[in-house]
Amino acid sequence: MYKRLLPFFYLILFFAVTAPAQDKTSIPSMRRIFHDEIDQTQKKILALDGKDDKVWAPTQNAGFNLQLTHTVVEEIDDIQKQIEADTTLDNENKMKFLRGLNDVLIKYVSGFKNRIFTPNQFPVAVKAYKEAVVLERSGQSIFPVVRKNDAEIGWLLVESYAFQKNSGMKDSRDQLILKDIRRRPDKMMSILTDHPDVSFADSIIKSIAYRNQEELYNYAQSPNGLGKRISEVDDSLVHAISRLAKIKTGRQYFPFLDLIYHGKITTGEIDEIKDEPVKYYKLLVKTEIDYADRRRHGDTPLVMRTLTNWLARKASEGFVKPINDLHEENNPAVRFKVLDQLTAEELYFLPVLTDNEIYTSSYIGIYNKMVQKMNTSSTDTLLMNVKFDHFKKFIRMAANYNTLDDFLSKMDQANAQVLMTAFVNGLERTGDLEDAVDVADSYASISDPAIHNLLLAQVKSNLNKASTPGGRRIYNILNTIFLSKDSSSNAGMFDALGIPPVYFMPNKMLQDTGGRIVVQQFFYGDKGGIADFNSFLNHYKSANWKITPSKEWVTVTSTKGTPVVIYSNRPLETTEDLDAKAQANLIDWLEENNIDPTVVIHRGHSYYANATIQQLAPSAKVVFLGSCGGFHILDSVLNICPQAHIIASKQIGSSTVNEPLLNLITETLRLGKDLNWPQLWKQLGNGVLKKNEYFNDYIAP
């Protein structure tokens, strides 16, 4: 019955739309213009569904489409008629309400096209306009209408010509800005930048001051209206932040905001040392330790992260980078002279806050200097003196750089066990995953079986006792990762977490559907690249491998064991981009033949590394960056291959390391064995690379 009646309703609407809305002959020509504009806008709304007819049907609901069409045609016409028929309105007010109505309709059309408005909001907008007109006529504020409707509807009203002189205009605009802030709280200050004079600005500024001092500082620096508004807020913390933001070198004072705010230090005292790098670093360390102690007791100092970031910056600029730059200096007294003025506690923060850039030799030198400068023979005293700040990262680095056994041996054995137990405790309470990552990263580097067993037992205990979903997830992941170090537990790693094993790469995971492992190698046509390429070919001239040459690349295929195929472009003349063309042509050929490399090797200087990464096959599961400093561009690789195991050097990439390491990898794969990274590193470190100074800077996956 409903469907049979639809054509009838559409017929009625057709005549309603085509019939003249009202007799306009008696309407003055000035007002008639507004009526004509409204009529044209009605037609535009009807056409928003893409059909040039007399019905607006933007939804799949035929009944609702009829209601919408009625609103567009009948209700809008009725509003026009009511305005004209109202004898209490003079010509000026009639024009005002007609123009205001068309403003609402025009802005709705624009917003609908930009997906700001939905069809459902059109009847609401028309109703809101009629309610606002009633209030405007009686001299009342339109604020109640704005407040109860969506922000989009409210903006239609406050931007309509009809209400520009309404007494509630400022309150209405403020209300809409507040609605926007509630909808996008992360953009709070950005919104205030455009509207610094809203009535509630001071409240928001105060709330930001106690929640995100860094953000408020950034906005307080601006010489715009919001910066001025911030400086005028009557609040001691806001005032302190604003005052620092107006100082040209305010960033140097800002890490000490908490001390300044609580009257524990003055800007004058900071002035005395801010231009002396060592003294400034010492003050940063002192403050960091103070903040760490307060955090342990449940306090939350202001700008803690900012302070730590500045401490890391100064540790790098003033100490670690100069030491790294002197890596070829053989005299430790010369290379590490910059550390002479620092205490053991001040030395402690250098490696833990620069772990992504410190060289192995730099770390060892700093560690030795730190132990030497301790005022006690018990190393746990050092951790107590720094209030155990970043101690999980310190333990992780000590494990990775093989100094953990030495550090633990210099304290009472019972204390060492307590320390390592604390190392894996409380990971769910930190608010981020950094500590958990440090624990996972260190496990493979710990050689002492007793410590291994202690950590695994404690992780299992914490898993059983975990009372929150987050805690259970963290300890379940760690338990699975720790167990995966035993190759017999490898299968459970993927089943439990859906990711490849962490400590080794199974041979099977590198094979294609035909059981073949495909390796792609990038060479570049400079002198070193040519030498490395020739050395590479010489190694594979054996009964276990077959070399097939072609114009732009060579193919090396295993003849025994697991099928391994190595595709290597020739290092053709780089000045003419012939090496780049060879690489591109090889990639095209691999793609045409549906060959997906799972091992990709970069053989070239660091300035070629980005070219290799840009051509990196997403199928790669092991990526070898043989250039200098490859460790510092891991993110670029992970953006393409998120689960890849990456081998790279923090410092110098050397063919004396690359060749033995790559030869061992390919031979291990040919023999059908898994790439067990801890075992491979141990085998190389105790064997052919035992005396190779560059190997220490190579980081296993």
Side-chain angles (χ1 to χ4, degrees):
M1 181 69 173
Y2 172 73
K3 291 183 178 178
R4 290 200 299 270
L5 287 174
L6 277 180
F8 175 71
F9 282 117
Y10 277 118
L11 186 63
I12 293 174
L13 280 169
F14 173 79
F15 285 113
V17 172
T18 54
Q22 57 185 308
D23 181 10
K24 298 180 182 178
T25 57
S26 61
I27 299 176
S29 58
M30 290 183 64
R31 293 209 302 275
R32 202 179 306 152
I33 294 173
F34 293 111
H35 284 288
D36 291 341
E37 289 179 348
I38 292 172
D39 293 345
Q40 291 301 313
T41 307
Q42 286 174 284
K43 293 179 181 179
K44 290 179 181 179
I45 296 174
L46 294 174
L48 285 175
D49 58 5
K51 300 176 183 177
D52 187 14
D53 55 20
K54 308 300 181 182
V55 178
W56 186 30
T59 76
Q60 298 298 315
N61 187 323
F64 184 56
N65 291 341
L66 287 174
Q67 295 176 30
L68 290 174
T69 306
H70 175 78
T71 303
V72 176
V73 179
E74 297 297 326
E75 288 195 39
I76 299 302
D77 283 355
D78 285 345
I79 295 174
Q80 292 174 263
K81 292 175 184 178
Q82 290 168 12
I83 292 172
E84 286 299 334
D86 194 334
T87 57
T88 64
L89 293 176
D90 57 19
N91 179 64
E92 183 178 347
N93 277 298
K94 287 183 179 182
M95 286 194 296
K96 179 178 77 170
F97 290 126
L98 290 170
R99 178 178 171 182
L101 174 61
N102 195 51
D103 282 350
V104 169
L105 299 179
I106 284 290
K107 285 183 171 60
Y108 179 86
V109 170
S110 175
F112 186 88
K113 290 180 178 178
N114 291 311
R115 299 185 179 183
I116 296 172
F117 289 107
T118 65
N120 303 52
Q121 289 177 305
F122 183 73
V124 179
V126 173
K127 180 183 178 183
Y129 181 76
K130 291 193 289 186
E131 292 176 351
V133 167
V134 172
L135 294 172
E136 170 71 11
R137 287 188 57 194
S138 61
Q140 298 180 62
S141 168
I142 65 169
F143 176 73
V145 182
V146 172
R147 180 175 55 187
K148 75 177 183 179
N149 281 287
D150 292 341
E152 294 85 0
I153 304 296
W155 281 114
L156 289 178
L157 299 180
V158 301
E159 291 178 353
S160 170
Y161 179 78
F163 312 114
Q164 292 309 296
K165 295 182 180 180
N166 186 270
S167 61
M169 184 56 63
K170 183 170 190 323
D171 288 343
S172 296
R173 287 185 178 275
D174 286 1
Q175 177 68 201
L176 293 174
I177 295 165
L178 184 59
K179 286 175 183 282
D180 192 16
I181 286 173
R182 286 171 176 168
R183 183 181 295 178
R184 300 185 296 155
D186 57 317
K187 302 293 184 183
M188 191 178 296
M189 293 301 289
S190 176
I191 294 169
L192 277 190
T193 299
D194 297 326
H195 309 282
D197 296 326
V198 292
S199 57
F200 50 83
D202 286 8
S203 297
I204 288 181
I205 290 169
K206 289 178 185 178
S207 71
I208 292 291
Y210 289 90
R211 190 173 72 248
N212 191 334
Q213 299 82 38
E214 182 76 34
E215 183 180 16
L216 187 63
Y217 179 94
N218 292 335
Y219 281 96
Q221 284 184 303
S222 302
N224 55 20
L226 181 57
K228 184 174 184 297
R229 181 68 180 261
I230 292 171
S231 67
E232 295 172 348
V233 173
D234 184 17
D235 180 89
S236 56
L237 179 56
V238 175
H239 179 69
I241 295 172
S242 178
R243 186 163 59 90
L244 294 182
K246 301 303 181 185
I247 301 174
K248 187 176 181 180
T249 56
R251 279 288 173 192
Q252 288 184 272
Y253 304 92
F254 193 62
F256 309 105
L257 174 65
D258 193 275
L259 302 180
I260 294 171
Y261 173 61
H262 289 103
K264 295 180 180 179
I265 197 172
T266 66
T267 54
E269 290 174 297
I270 299 173
D271 279 333
E272 294 177 3
I273 54 92
K274 70 180 178 66
D275 296 323
E276 298 187 41
V278 174
K279 290 183 178 179
Y280 187 76
Y281 174 78
K282 285 175 174 287
L283 180 59
L284 286 169
V285 169
K286 182 176 180 294
T287 308
E288 174 79 14
I289 294 173
D290 174 55
Y291 284 7
D293 192 38
R294 289 168 58 184
R295 287 198 302 271
R296 290 173 62 216
H297 291 88
D299 193 6
T300 307
L302 301 172
V303 297
M304 291 186 298
R305 190 174 295 276
T306 300
L307 172 73
T308 302
N309 289 342
W310 265 80
L311 181 55
R313 174 179 168 181
K314 295 304 177 182
S316 173
E317 291 176 354
F319 305 96
V320 173
K321 190 176 184 302
I323 292 172
N324 283 349
D325 291 343
L326 291 172
H327 63 271
E328 294 183 354
E329 174 57 59
N330 294 322
N331 186 347
V334 174
R335 184 180 180 189
F336 297 99
K337 183 175 177 55
V338 69
L339 305 179
D340 289 348
Q341 300 179 64
L342 302 183
T343 65
E345 291 75 19
E346 290 158 356
L347 290 166
Y348 169 89
F349 287 98
L350 295 181
V352 297
L353 294 181
T354 63
D355 59 319
N356 284 334
E357 63 182 278
I358 194 169
Y359 293 169
T360 300
S361 55
S362 299
Y363 171 87
I364 297 300
I366 293 172
Y367 174 82
N368 290 337
K369 183 77 88 171
M370 180 187 72
V371 172
Q372 174 190 333
K373 287 200 170 191
M374 285 194 301
N375 294 325
T376 173
S377 59
S378 182
T379 48
D380 56 340
T381 302
L382 172 68
L383 294 177
M384 287 188 281
N385 289 345
V386 298
K387 309 304 178 185
F388 292 89
D389 193 32
H390 297 285
F391 92 94
K392 287 183 169 68
K393 186 170 294 297
F394 176 80
I395 296 296
R396 189 262 288 174
M397 295 186 72
N400 288 351
Y401 290 108
N402 299 315
T403 60
L404 182 59
D405 288 346
D406 178 75
F407 188 78
L408 295 178
S409 70
K410 290 180 168 60
M411 66 178 73
D412 183 82
Q413 191 59 34
N415 290 347
Q417 290 187 352
V418 171
L419 176 65
M420 295 310 296
T421 300
F423 181 54
V424 295
N425 284 348
L427 300 177
E428 73 277 20
R429 297 195 298 267
T430 61
D432 59 43
L433 294 176
E434 185 175 1
D435 284 350
V437 172
D438 286 337
V439 171
D441 194 30
S442 65
Y443 190 74
S445 301
I446 295 174
S447 57
D448 188 334
I451 296 179
H452 261 166
N453 295 335
L454 174 66
L455 294 182
L456 182 57
Q458 192 62 35
V459 164
K460 288 181 177 179
S461 174
N462 288 339
L463 174 59
N464 293 331
K465 293 187 297 185
S467 59
T468 64
R472 286 191 290 273
R473 282 195 294 269
I474 287 174
Y475 285 110
N476 181 51
I477 290 172
L478 284 176
N479 186 54
T480 306
I481 290 175
F482 284 7
L483 290 175
S484 76
K485 192 170 185 291
D486 173 12
S487 60
S488 64
S489 304
N490 170 47
M493 181 76 177
F494 186 81
D495 294 338
L497 304 179
I499 61 172
V502 173
Y503 301 120
F504 58 96
M505 175 59 69
N507 193 290
K508 285 287 185 183
M509 293 191 75
L510 296 175
Q511 297 177 17
D512 61 16
T513 54
R516 179 180 59 174
I517 298 175
V518 177
V519 181
Q520 182 183 5
Q521 202 165 197
F522 287 82
F523 282 99
Y524 292 83
D526 55 12
K527 184 178 179 181
I530 295 171
D532 287 344
F533 181 79
N534 291 332
S535 180
F536 154 70
L537 289 182
N538 287 333
H539 174 77
Y540 290 91
K541 291 178 180 178
S542 72
N544 293 328
W545 301 90
K546 175 185 175 183
I547 300 175
T548 305
S550 63
K551 182 179 178 181
E552 292 185 307
W553 63 83
V554 296
T555 305
V556 179
T557 309
S558 62
T559 57
K560 302 175 184 178
T562 300
V564 178
V565 185
I566 306 172
Y567 295 97
S568 301
N569 69 278
R570 291 184 179 277
L572 303 177
E573 181 55 54
T574 190
T575 58
E576 299 179 18
D577 286 336
L578 297 181
D579 51 358
K581 291 177 183 177
Q583 293 168 1
N585 290 336
L586 172 56
I587 290 171
D588 289 343
W589 183 85
L590 292 173
E591 291 177 350
E592 289 169 5
N593 289 275
N594 296 317
I595 298 173
D596 298 317
T598 54
V599 180
V600 176
I601 301 166
H602 168 70
R603 298 294 300 271
H605 292 294
S606 57
Y607 42 80
Y608 294 127
N610 285 330
T612 296
I613 293 172
Q614 288 171 10
Q615 303 176 87
L616 187 60
S619 56
K621 296 177 181 176
V622 174
V623 178
F624 189 107
L625 298 176
S627 59
C628 298
F631 179 81
H632 304 295
I633 54 174
L634 298 187
D635 282 352
S636 300
V637 175
L638 293 172
N639 284 334
I640 301 171
C641 309
Q643 295 186 350
H645 286 202
I646 307 172
I647 301 169
S649 172
K650 280 193 171 186
Q651 191 172 338
I652 296 174
S654 171
S655 59
T656 62
V657 175
N658 294 339
E659 289 187 13
L661 183 49
L662 290 171
N663 294 342
L664 179 59
I665 287 174
T666 54
E667 184 63 13
T668 301
L669 294 177
R670 188 188 68 79
L671 294 174
K673 298 179 181 179
D674 299 332
L675 297 175
N676 188 311
W677 303 119
Q679 288 182 9
L680 290 177
W681 246 247
K682 186 176 182 180
Q683 181 178 341
L684 289 166
N686 293 334
V688 64
L689 297 179
K690 184 175 183 179
K691 296 183 179 180
N692 192 303
E693 61 179 318
Y694 301 122
F695 182 54
N696 287 332
D697 281 308
Y698 277 72
I699 307 300

